[in-house]
Amino acid sequence: MSPFTGTGRLLRLALRRDRLQLPIWLVVLTLVQYASTVSVIDLYRDDAARLAFTVTSAESPVLLVFNGLISGSGLGAVAASQTLLIVVLGAAFMSLFAIIRHTRQNEETGRAELIGSAVVGRHAALTAALLLVIGANVVLGLLNAVALIAADLPAAGAFAEGAAIALAGIAFASAAAVCAQIPEGARSANGLAAGFVGVAFLLRSIGDVTGHVTEQGTKVISGWASWLSPIGWAQQVRPFDDDKWWVLGLMLGFSALAVGGAFVLTTRRDVGFGLSQTRPGPPQAPPGLLSPLGLAWRLQRGTLLGWSVGMIVVALALGAVGDAVRDVVESSDTVAEIVEQLGGGGANLIDNYFAAVFGLLGLAIGGYAVQALLRLRSEESGPLEPLLATAVSRPRWLASHVAIVVAGTVFLLALAGACTGLFYGLVVGDVGGYVGDLTVAALVQTPAALALVGFVVAAFGLLPRLTAAIAWAGFGICLLLGQIGALLKLPQAILNISPFSHTPPAPVADVAVQPLVVLLAVAALLTGAGFVLFRRRDLAM
């Protein structure tokens, strides 16, 4: 029997299992690409405004870190500098989640052992997962190229950017295949793969910041660190400028080496175990683990810690760049108008900026809530049944996880607001005047985030097997409507689908209590419905 026997059947099984999740990723990332590109083109049709923006961005370390490499002042190059990084990061997370889901998660839930009892080769599961993700990234690259052409950009640059996105996603999938072999559990493998993405982002950022600007001031030549990152390779293709197709060979070579290494590592470990063995725990459990709340905290604390570190880093950048944003906004009346729309229409540019920032951070922290609540589904398909055989009731178990997620959501919002105010205050020399106000402004997003929590809990109670797809679809709709709906001038009735559209734009305007109370009531109703539905249904494996 060949090590690859059964790959085709496992690929069909993976396609069936991901028939909702992968299309959602592809549609959302393509819409983000198209809408963002159209908005950038509308903003910078004027050559003078585009040149001013390019020069400002090339000289700003923070903008280089969070926007991406500057490859000229052409319309397509400016659009690519604003969208390529976002889509590549989306492709990276789509790829690594899918690889871990179809390898280590299958082992953790017992599916791999069941499948392995049939005529299936040693490498079939990993090969099927890789083929699935490679196909998804190729489709993503083609869709993005078509979206860029639909935005009236040149076809050559569009296909160069599409190829860069596809091969970057494949490179991260290959790295995730290696990461899947090392730790014992699926969550640890996801964390390790996500850490690889973080290191790639950091290396790319260091390379761009330490590079030098050309004499014209419109192009950044990256430092050596950027050439050690798949994200940096994607940007070095420089679509709509040089179109360096040869850089794609670096991603192909890295992918081939990583996949080969993953296949070798699979032969050196047993199913359900990683190369790195978990240390034995203490002989007696601490008192905190004797309650459902303590157990939920133990399971969720790693996720909250990772998000906390990420929020501090993001708040550092957003707070520190606040004063520099004024120059970018003032360089174009159109940019000022867009920031005013996203920030609630206030007269103060900085207040508009922070209102827009906290709208984005509120959505991002909603992503934390979705990720943390999906732990409910993995627990239900694994260790929940023995736990419920004790004195623990279903409502008590569910309430413990929901309580940790709600507390974590509030904590992250407060942390984001306080850190943003601290770092901005340090830049402008007025720390005390901003920490409190911006913390309150960030906490205004709490009811909308909790409404998303209620939506996920209700989905878990009603359709447990589709919880992940429904939850991420809801989050994606909120993200699209919140960040792109205003730019596309969608009808208010459509924008109102997102709970975040009902949040007062603090600190631009006084906080209205009524919409916050309504959102909290909706969150409570949805959460209560989820509890009732979960209590009445059978456990879904």
Side-chain angles (χ1 to χ4, degrees), residues 184-462:
E184 277 216 16
R187 293 180 70 86
S188 298
N190 271 323
L192 185 61
F196 178 82
V197 177
V199 171
F201 182 88
L202 180 62
L203 288 172
R204 193 277 315 168
S205 302
I206 293 172
D208 288 352
V209 171
T210 57
H212 65 276
V213 182
T214 59
E215 293 181 2
Q216 295 81 10
T218 59
K219 185 182 293 188
V220 175
I221 306 301
S222 300
W224 61 269
S226 185
W227 289 94
L228 301 178
S229 164
I231 301 175
W233 297 335
Q235 292 189 337
Q236 293 300 332
V237 174
R238 296 185 184 270
F240 305 103
D241 182 46
D242 295 333
D243 291 343
K244 296 180 178 179
W245 291 90
W246 65 267
V247 178
L248 301 177
L250 295 175
M251 289 185 269
L252 287 172
F254 172 83
S255 300
L257 289 174
V259 169
F263 281 132
V264 171
L265 294 177
T266 57
T267 64
R268 299 178 181 271
R269 67 176 184 88
D270 292 329
V271 175
F273 294 90
L275 295 173
S276 174
Q277 300 296 320
T278 303
R279 291 185 307 168
Q284 291 184 339
L289 289 179
L290 299 179
S291 68
L293 186 63
L295 178 60
W297 165 247
R298 179 66 174 265
L299 294 172
Q300 298 281 4
R301 65 183 182 180
T303 302
L304 182 59
L305 176 62
W307 276 86
S308 299
V309 173
M311 278 297 112
I312 293 173
V313 173
V314 171
L316 166 63
L318 295 175
V321 78
D323 203 41
V325 165
R326 187 192 304 272
D327 298 332
V328 177
V329 172
E330 290 178 348
S331 68
S332 170
D333 293 337
T334 309
V335 175
E337 181 182 350
I338 294 298
V339 172
E340 183 178 343
Q341 288 178 359
L342 294 175
N348 188 303
L349 284 177
I350 295 301
D351 285 348
N352 285 330
Y353 166 72
F354 283 123
V357 161
F358 290 134
L360 178 60
L361 290 181
L363 276 166
I365 293 170
Y368 152 77
V370 171
Q371 181 187 4
L373 286 171
L374 290 180
R375 179 80 192 201
L376 298 172
R377 181 67 190 121
S378 62
E379 289 293 301
E380 183 182 12
S381 59
L384 177 58
E385 191 171 5
L387 183 63
L388 294 180
T390 66
V392 177
S393 66
R394 287 193 184 197
R396 189 181 176 196
W397 171 80
L398 181 56
S400 64
H401 280 272
V402 173
I404 294 297
V405 174
V406 168
T409 300
V410 175
F411 170 76
L412 287 175
L413 285 168
L415 180 67
C419 291
T420 302
L422 173 63
F423 297 132
Y424 180 69
L426 290 173
V427 170
V428 300
D430 185 15
V431 175
Y434 288 97
V435 172
D437 291 344
L438 294 186
T439 301
V440 172
L443 286 172
V444 170
Q445 303 291 327
T446 302
L450 295 185
L452 188 58
V453 168
F455 173 76
V456 178
V457 174
F460 172 72
L462 181 62

